[in-house]
Amino acid sequence: MEQQVLELLAATLESATETRNNAERHLEQLYANEAFPISLISIASHKSVDLSLRQAALLALKTLVLKTWSPSIDEFQGTVLVNDATKEQVRHSLLTIATSGDEERKIVAAASYVVSKIAGADFPDQWPALLPTLLQLIPGADDARLHGILVVLGNLVEDGFDEEQFGKSAIDLVSSIYDIATDGQKKLASRALAISIFRACFDTMELMYQTDKASVKQFMQQLSDAWSPFFIEVLRMPLPQIPSEDEGDESGTSSWRGVVALKTQVVKALDKIHNMFPHLLTARTLDLFSTLWESLQAHVGPYVALYVTENRQGRLEDADRLPYTLDFLVIEELDYIQTLLGTVTVKREMDAQLSPEKMSDGKEGNNWISQVMMILVGYAQIIQEDEGLWDFDVNVFLSEETSETANYSPRNACANFVQKLCKWPVIDSLLAYTKGIFGEGNSSTQVKEATLFVLKQILDELDSYGKEIDPSIAREYLEFIRPAMKSGETFLRARGFIVAGRLTTISSTGLFEIVPDLAQQSLTAIENDDSDVVKVSCIRVLQDYLKVLPSTQAREFQIQTVAAISNFLGVQDLSELKESEDLLDTLVETLRDAIMADPSLCLDHPALDVLFTMASYGASNFQTTMLVNEAFESIASSMSAKGPETYAQLCAKVLPTLTGALDVGDMTSENALSDMAISLLSSLAEHGPEPLPQGFVATVMPKLYRVLFSGAEFTLNQAATVTIRHILAHDAQQVFTWHDPATGKGGLEIILLIIDRLLGPDVDDASAAEVGGLAVELVEKAGADQLGPFLMQLLTVVAVRLSTAAHASFIQNLVLVFARLSLTNAKEVLDFLAQVRVEGAAGGSGLEVVLSKWLENSPHFSGYDTIRQNVFALINIYKLHDERLTNIHVQGDLLVPNSSRIKTRSQAKKEPDQYSVVTVPLKLLKVLVSELANPLTPDVPGALQNNLIPSDNEDDEWEDESGVLDLGGQSTRAELMGYMDESQWQKRQWDDETQLYLVNFFKQVSTEPEFQSLYHSLNDDEREKLHEMDKRQ
């Protein structure tokens, strides 16, 4: 059988898809054969077999185990196909492969992973000897075998053990890991791997802490007492001599990598402990801070030598995913020292050491801050690898500059660190350091650039929370910035322009008078500088200048800025511009700010043409399209506010371009370009006057009609539908009098055809998501007189489509049709729905279908207007006291099972949520009660309420000082400001009008017999909510 399996495994590695799929199917057919797993083990064990086939055998075995080994494995597919005897043989053989000590690392990793999966199902009941066997092997294992054992243990901790299994083994496991980590005779890489496993244990211990706090506390305290001194000892361990790249033997390289890997894992472990169980380290916080600071001081020299002076490769990990290059260690150290800086213990000490008395010239505090600045500048220098990348690709430079890169580096970590230091007078200390750097003739341009980079971070942070900057200090800095702007070195010159813009546009510096001159210098550099890095830096800094320039001067600079961007684009390879997302975004943002100085001027120069050019190349980039839409929306709004004539001029200028883009997108099947064009048309129509300019409908409607009947993507259908709704809202008369020359159909008939298509069974929910709004607009604008018999047909089609709708936003959009009509004609809506028959629906009544979907989804509706209209409509329906509604049963409350077990996704499919069944009047009340604001904090979203309610947790002492909310931190402020975004509150917003209407409604009906009978059927929370409302009145 082995030969057959070998052939199938070889076929799974073929590039031909059909061959590969056939082989995988044949392998699955062998699952029921008892010899199959043994054959796989045999192939994986034979060193004479090709490595790729051995890996494939272990991969096939892993799949077999996941699908057929045990019901306790999430991926299990229903039938156990491996008998107990075979299981025992597989377990023994896999463990032998993983811990033999003479296997390839890839084979060890693959085998250990399968072991961990089996252990999750079988340990300890069916495999009680697993962990004891591994731990017994450790004392006598050589380096190679120890590595295999550690790999298995690591996989077990991460994937194999649950909390109960880990709890029974934790003491022996952690003790053995500690012995390896602290054994100076073991390989440094093995010791680092042991610490990595120890760190992984904390994830499971955190889960255990939720159910057994006392035991976990005691155990963790013991671990801290044992491990912390060792960790501090490793942090103080000096780095070996930097190995030469040409070194013949491996000893120097191995020693260097081992020490770096060991120290990196120690810092990562400390950071993990601090984040999960901070109280454990409180007593050692100052010791850790000083040790870590000494380590950063010691490492800056080797770091500069390796990455700034030389061009050594960084960001490297070994086969066990352990980082072993110095840049990784520095990042971890900088990040962890920031964590420590946030603790009350360190803050208190810093406040004492950096008091005004100790910060005077020559005093200890001032010297310490100066040392910090020197170290941060050292780590903030541009490394050679980045210099080459940024010179080659300016987009990479911009992504780093805007901190929107995944390549987190020591430079980025320094930026975060220096911002944390801004609670103390760092800008003064940096000035003294800057004078020394720029005053010395031997300071490198990298150090000067890094100094200005650190200054930029300080300026950003101080300005973000409104702290004033002494104008005299600002002017002193300017003396060093101006020469940097004229430097012969590209990155220092670019940094000079960037920092000049930031420094002079902060109001407290009092430097506004020189902004026009600096802005002009930036424009000159865009035109004349040889470096694209400098040019894009100047383009970006113009955003700062345009925001603070007086309106008259900003208008003057608008024309120059547009010309500069246009000329810059003219010399770029536009075919590469699509991939340069950050560059495009920067250009669009600057152009937007220039245009907004006075949007009406765009009619006289090519600003809009430049905007549309960039839009066409960035159409597939979400961020670019968002910026373009934002810019154009502002332009359309501003132009419309100036009157119909100005708006008509805007339409005359942009409509040919936008409709032409739709034609190009249609011919080339570029959906992104069409999507962008329709989005801009939508903004144009949304902000249009009433009526729209003559010819607007004739120009736009045929294009939209074609898109909606072309089978386009859902985003195009949605945008086109919204655009038509805006057009109808602003000028229904022009729509109804227009006739399509291609089809001869009138505007009303065209819209009815569009609605009919979108509500048809061939169009998915996402594509039709906005059709409800269009239908409502049509009914309200055309009325029953113009629609005639089409009105009933339209509403019938909406009800039928609602019966099959599943997408939440689509359901809301369709329900809104009936909700809007119910605001004035609730009885007529119910009468109509009672006559509609919907195939496949329970009872076949449109009334049942619509009300069921309506009431079930109402709590999830979003948007002020929608929620308000929905509440008013439901109240109108309730007030009818229609007896037909008492005979309709809909979904009630969720029935919560009496179990604390967390459902997996597979269990949720097998055991879906169950709900009670209630009548429509009762459900109406439940929905309306749910719309009442929370009586505790009615104006605060739920996510914040949880943080405002005082905690009665008896274990508050576990919340270490590092968890204190840092309101001065930029990231904290950004997070808090994020709560102002409706999307962060799941768009469930309260408004006073709706709340007042609800309160008055409940007061009015509270004495009615119908309400009294339903009140007792509400649940406890709902009755309590009404009770609290009554008490507040």
Side-chain angles (χ1 to χ4, degrees):
M1 185 177 190
E2 287 184 21
Q3 185 59 39
Q4 177 191 1
V5 173
L6 266 174
E7 292 173 358
L8 290 173
L9 291 174
T12 63
L13 302 178
E14 292 289 338
S15 58
T17 304
E18 185 176 354
T19 302
R20 190 170 61 252
N21 291 339
N22 287 335
E24 289 171 354
R25 280 194 297 270
H26 283 124
L27 286 172
E28 287 189 13
Q29 293 169 5
L30 294 174
Y31 282 1
N33 191 322
E34 294 181 3
F36 180 55
I38 304 303
S39 296
L40 292 174
I41 286 287
S42 178
I43 293 169
S45 303
H46 277 82
K47 296 181 181 178
S48 59
V49 177
D50 185 78
L51 178 62
S52 61
L53 291 175
R54 297 174 69 195
Q55 286 182 273
L58 288 170
L59 178 62
L61 182 60
K62 180 199 77 172
T63 306
L64 170 67
V65 167
L66 294 177
K67 292 182 178 180
T68 70
W69 191 274
S70 169
S72 62
I73 296 176
D74 286 342
E75 295 87 347
F76 183 69
Q77 293 189 349
T79 305
V80 176
L81 297 179
V82 186
N83 61 46
D84 291 343
T86 303
K87 283 184 177 181
E88 180 63 32
Q89 190 172 351
V90 169
R91 287 192 290 254
H92 175 76
S93 300
L94 276 173
L95 192 57
T96 300
I97 293 172
T99 61
S100 64
D102 59 350
E103 279 290 0
E104 292 278 350
R105 282 181 177 257
K106 292 180 180 179
I107 298 298
V108 170
S112 67
Y113 181 78
V114 184
V115 168
S116 71
K117 288 299 180 183
I118 295 175
D122 293 358
F123 179 81
D125 296 334
Q126 286 80 42
W127 202 358
L130 171 61
L131 191 59
T133 299
L134 289 171
L135 299 183
Q136 288 169 10
L137 290 173
I138 288 175
D142 58 17
D143 289 334
R145 193 172 198 189
L146 179 62
H147 172 262
I149 295 169
L150 288 173
V151 170
V152 174
L153 285 174
N155 278 310
L156 288 175
V157 170
E158 290 184 5
D159 299 305
F161 293 157
D162 59 22
E163 298 96 290
E164 183 180 356
Q165 294 167 341
F166 179 82
K168 294 176 181 178
S169 315
I171 294 177
D172 292 338
L173 174 63
V174 175
S175 176
S176 296
I177 292 173
Y178 176 80
D179 290 340
I180 297 171
T182 57
D183 188 347
Q185 302 304 311
K186 303 293 186 187
K187 283 183 65 174
L188 290 165
S190 296
R191 296 171 66 190
L193 185 55
I195 297 173
S196 175
I197 297 170
F198 173 66
R199 178 167 54 89
C201 291
F202 279 81
D203 292 320
T204 308
M205 283 190 274
E206 185 181 29
L207 296 174
M208 293 172 60
Y209 178 70
Q210 305 303 319
T211 57
D212 190 3
K213 295 182 180 180
S215 298
V216 173
K217 276 185 179 183
Q218 183 181 5
F219 182 55
M220 290 301 304
Q221 192 62 58
Q222 293 171 356
L223 292 182
S224 177
D225 293 341
W227 285 79
S228 294
F230 164 66
F231 284 162
I232 292 175
E233 178 186 332
V234 173
L235 289 178
R236 289 173 176 161
M237 183 186 298
L239 289 175
Q241 183 177 354
I242 298 175
S244 168
E245 288 186 293
D246 302 324
E247 194 167 357
D249 64 341
E250 295 287 328
S251 60
T253 301
S254 177
S255 175
W256 171 269
R257 290 181 176 181
V259 171
V260 171
L262 183 65
K263 291 168 78 73
T264 302
Q265 291 307 311
V266 164
V267 180
K268 288 168 77 74
L270 284 167
D271 192 49
K272 188 103 169 185
I273 295 171
H274 203 104
N275 287 323
M276 291 187 173
F277 304 100
H279 181 71
L280 296 175
L281 298 174
T282 299
R284 295 182 171 86
T285 299
L286 288 178
D287 195 13
L288 284 169
F289 185 83
S290 61
T291 303
L292 207 57
W293 178 245
E294 291 169 2
S295 182
L296 281 168
Q297 286 179 300
H299 296 166
V300 68
Y303 175 83
V304 171
L306 287 170
Y307 304 112
V308 180
T309 305
E310 298 183 33
N311 189 15
R312 299 286 186 95
Q313 190 171 359
R315 310 187 68 82
L316 296 177
E317 297 179 343
D318 64 16
D320 299 313
R321 294 176 298 171
L322 297 182
Y324 63 81
T325 48
L326 184 60
D327 55 335
F328 271 134
L329 173 58
V330 168
I331 289 172
E332 296 297 337
E333 290 176 330
L334 286 168
D335 284 348
Y336 184 44
I337 202 168
Q338 289 179 63
T339 300
L340 295 176
L341 196 63
T343 63
V344 170
T345 305
V346 173
K347 281 189 205 173
R348 191 182 297 120
E349 182 67 19
M350 291 278 285
D351 287 338
Q353 295 297 325
L354 302 178
S355 61
E357 309 85 65
K358 294 190 175 184
M359 284 297 293
S360 58
D361 289 341
K363 293 291 182 69
E364 180 181 351
N366 195 37
N367 290 336
W368 187 82
I369 282 287
S370 296
Q371 291 175 10
V372 173
M373 293 298 105
M374 180 179 67
I375 299 302
L376 290 179
V377 167
Y379 287 122
Q381 293 179 72
I382 303 174
I383 63 175
Q384 282 200 25
E385 180 183 3
D386 285 346
E387 280 194 7
L389 284 173
W390 298 354
D391 254 334
F392 177 74
D393 187 351
V394 72
N395 192 68
V396 180
F397 166 76
L398 279 174
S399 68
E400 293 284 348
E401 191 62 28
T402 55
S403 299
E404 294 177 355
T405 173
N407 184 28
Y408 187 67
S409 66
R411 183 175 169 98
N412 303 125
C414 283
N416 295 335
F417 187 14
V418 76
Q419 288 173 350
K420 293 281 180 65
L421 290 172
C422 285
K423 302 177 183 67
W424 298 280
V426 291
I427 194 166
D428 309 68
S429 298
L430 182 62
L431 178 59
Y433 180 74
T434 304
K435 289 178 180 178
I437 291 298
F438 281 83
E440 298 174 0
N442 59 349
S443 293
S444 67
T445 55
Q446 289 96 329
V447 171
K448 291 179 180 178
E449 191 279 338
T451 304
L452 295 182
F453 172 82
V454 170
L455 173 60
K456 168 71 161 48
Q457 312 314 310
I458 295 173
L459 294 173
D460 286 342
E461 183 67 9
L462 293 179
D463 187 50
S464 66
Y465 58 87
K467 189 169 182 179
E468 293 189 357
I469 300 170
D470 188 336
S472 63
I473 291 179
R475 291 185 182 279
E476 286 193 72
Y477 272 116
L478 201 59
E479 293 179 9
F480 308 113
I481 294 170
R482 285 189 183 276
M485 294 167 62
K486 300 175 182 177
S487 170
E489 201 281 323
T490 296
F491 295 105
L492 178 57
R493 191 163 69 254
R495 182 61 50 197
F497 280 104
I498 292 170
V499 181
R502 195 70 190 93
L503 182 68
T504 57
T505 54
I506 296 175
S507 59
S508 61
T509 59
L511 297 174
F512 283 172
E513 73 275 5
I514 64 172
V515 165
D517 176 58
L518 291 172
Q520 190 61 57
Q521 289 185 49
S522 296
L523 285 166
T524 301
I526 296 171
E527 295 290 343
N528 301 326
D529 202 282
D530 295 332
S531 169
D532 278 352
V533 169
V534 176
K535 289 182 178 181
V536 298
S537 297
C538 292
I539 290 173
R540 189 164 183 265
V541 83
L542 283 174
Q543 298 171 27
D544 293 329
Y545 295 137
L546 288 164
K547 287 181 175 71
V548 300
L549 281 169
S551 57
T552 53
Q553 289 181 310
R555 284 194 289 269
E556 293 174 7
F557 275 103
Q558 182 192 86
I559 299 174
Q560 297 181 65
T561 302
V562 171
I565 293 175
S566 178
N567 293 338
F568 178 80
L569 282 173
V571 297
Q572 301 298 307
D573 184 346
L574 295 182
S575 63
E576 296 180 359
L577 203 57
K578 290 182 180 181
E579 307 301 324
S580 303
E581 297 178 0
D582 294 284
L583 175 57
L584 266 176
D585 293 347
T586 297
L587 295 173
V588 172
E589 287 172 333
T590 304
L591 183 63
R592 174 201 61 196
D593 291 345
I595 289 172
M596 293 315 298
D598 187 348
S600 63
L601 296 179
C602 298
L603 300 174
D604 301 321
H605 58 69
L608 288 171
D609 295 331
V610 176
L611 180 67
F612 291 155
T613 297
M614 292 188 289
S616 66
Y617 285 99
S620 58
N621 175 18
F622 172 77
Q623 179 70 11
T624 303
T625 57
M626 185 179 69
L627 289 170
V628 170
N629 280 323
E630 177 187 296
F632 188 71
E633 186 174 359
S634 298
I635 294 167
S637 176
S638 176
M639 296 284 201
S640 180
K642 291 180 180 295
E645 184 177 344
T646 304
Y647 180 84
Q649 291 175 353
L650 174 65
C651 291
K653 186 174 182 66
V654 302
L655 280 178
T657 302
L658 296 179
T659 54
L662 277 176
D663 292 334
V664 172
D666 187 39
M667 289 186 294
T668 60
S669 299
E670 288 191 33
N671 287 323
L673 183 60
S674 298
D675 202 355
M676 170 76 81
I678 292 181
S679 295
L680 296 177
L681 282 173
S682 181
S683 294
L684 187 64
E686 180 182 5
H687 295 283
E690 296 183 16
L692 293 168
Q694 281 301 313
F696 189 100
V697 172
T699 302
V700 175
M701 278 296 291
K703 309 291 183 181
L704 300 176
Y705 178 70
R706 186 188 69 210
V707 167
L708 287 167
F709 276 82
S710 66
E713 290 186 355
F714 73 93
T715 52
L716 278 172
N717 284 325
Q718 288 182 9
T721 307
V722 170
T723 305
I724 295 175
R725 175 165 61 84
H726 290 321
I727 294 172
L728 194 58
H730 285 84
D731 198 344
Q733 185 62 32
Q734 188 177 161
V735 173
F736 296 151
T737 58
W738 165 73
H739 282 75
D740 181 21
T743 62
K745 293 180 171 55
L748 178 60
E749 184 179 1
I750 291 272
I751 294 179
L752 285 170
L753 288 171
I754 289 171
I755 293 174
D756 184 65
R757 168 173 165 72
L758 292 174
L759 290 174
D762 296 333
V763 178
D764 59 54
D765 285 9
S767 294
E770 298 293 342
V771 69
L774 177 59
V776 168
E777 201 66 51
L778 179 64
V779 170
E780 293 183 350
K781 293 296 183 182
D785 293 340
Q786 280 187 274
L787 286 172
F790 294 115
L791 175 59
M792 295 299 107
Q793 294 178 28
L794 172 62
L795 296 179
T796 300
V797 174
V798 173
V800 172
R801 187 68 176 87
L802 183 58
S803 69
T804 60
H807 197 281
S809 63
F810 185 38
I811 293 173
Q812 172 179 319
N813 205 256
L814 294 180
V815 165
L816 193 61
V817 175
F818 300 104
R820 290 269 285 271
L821 292 174
S822 298
L823 293 176
T824 53
N825 301 285
K827 186 178 186 307
E828 288 77 3
V829 170
L830 296 188
D831 291 342
F832 163 74
L833 289 174
Q835 300 171 22
V836 174
R837 308 302 297 174
V838 180
E839 288 188 25
S845 164
L847 194 60
E848 293 172 301
V849 170
V850 171
L851 287 177
S852 178
K853 281 288 180 104
W854 187 343
L855 295 172
E856 180 181 334
N857 290 276
S858 280
H860 311 298
F861 286 179
S862 61
Y864 274 121
D865 290 338
T866 297
I867 293 173
R868 182 186 299 119
Q869 292 168 13
N870 186 55
V871 167
F872 290 6
L874 292 178
I875 287 176
N876 287 348
I877 292 173
Y878 176 85
K879 286 181 176 180
L880 293 174
H881 298 299
D882 194 314
E883 291 188 2
R884 290 173 295 188
L885 304 186
T886 61
N887 298 320
I888 300 175
H889 292 82
V890 296
Q891 184 185 92
D893 297 331
L894 174 67
L895 299 176
V896 181
N898 294 322
S899 172
S900 60
R901 184 167 61 97
I902 298 174
K903 273 189 179 183
T904 63
R905 281 176 294 179
S906 59
Q907 289 169 338
K909 290 179 181 178
K910 296 176 184 176
E911 305 170 16
D913 291 335
Q914 300 295 315
Y915 292 85
S916 64
V917 177
V918 298
T919 63
V920 166
L922 178 56
K923 183 66 175 181
L924 279 167
L925 284 183
K926 284 178 171 290
V927 171
L928 292 173
V929 171
S930 73
E931 294 294 348
L932 277 172
N934 190 309
L936 177 63
T937 50
D939 297 321
V940 181
L944 283 180
Q945 285 184 27
N946 295 334
N947 294 329
L948 294 175
I949 299 173
S951 172
D952 58 356
N953 189 347
E954 62 181 311
D955 299 296
D956 280 346
E957 70 269 15
W958 278 76
E959 299 300 325
D960 184 72
E961 296 91 334
S962 63
V964 175
L965 188 62
D966 180 11
L967 293 176
Q970 189 174 27
S971 60
T972 303
R973 292 194 304 279
E975 185 176 351
L976 290 173
M977 290 298 290
Y979 285 120
M980 297 183 69
D981 181 359
E982 282 191 25
S983 65
Q984 300 299 316
W985 295 353
Q986 301 176 336
K987 299 184 180 178
R988 295 299 297 169
Q989 298 282 292
W990 315 114
D991 70 271
D992 293 339
E993 181 183 351
T994 303
Q995 291 302 303
L996 181 61
Y997 198 83
L998 277 168
V999 170
N1000 289 335
F1001 161 73
F1002 281 113
K1003 287 172 64 177
Q1004 291 169 9
V1005 302
S1006 61
T1007 58
E1008 295 178 0
E1010 294 90 344
F1011 177 81
Q1012 291 293 333
S1013 64
L1014 293 172
Y1015 175 81
H1016 297 291
S1017 297
L1018 297 174
N1019 61 41
D1020 293 342
D1021 291 338
E1022 291 163 344
R1023 290 196 295 270
E1024 178 65 22
K1025 202 171 189 181
L1026 289 174
H1027 180 63
E1028 291 293 334
M1029 178 206 75
D1030 188 52
K1031 286 198 303 185
R1032 296 201 309 272
Q1033 301 309 310

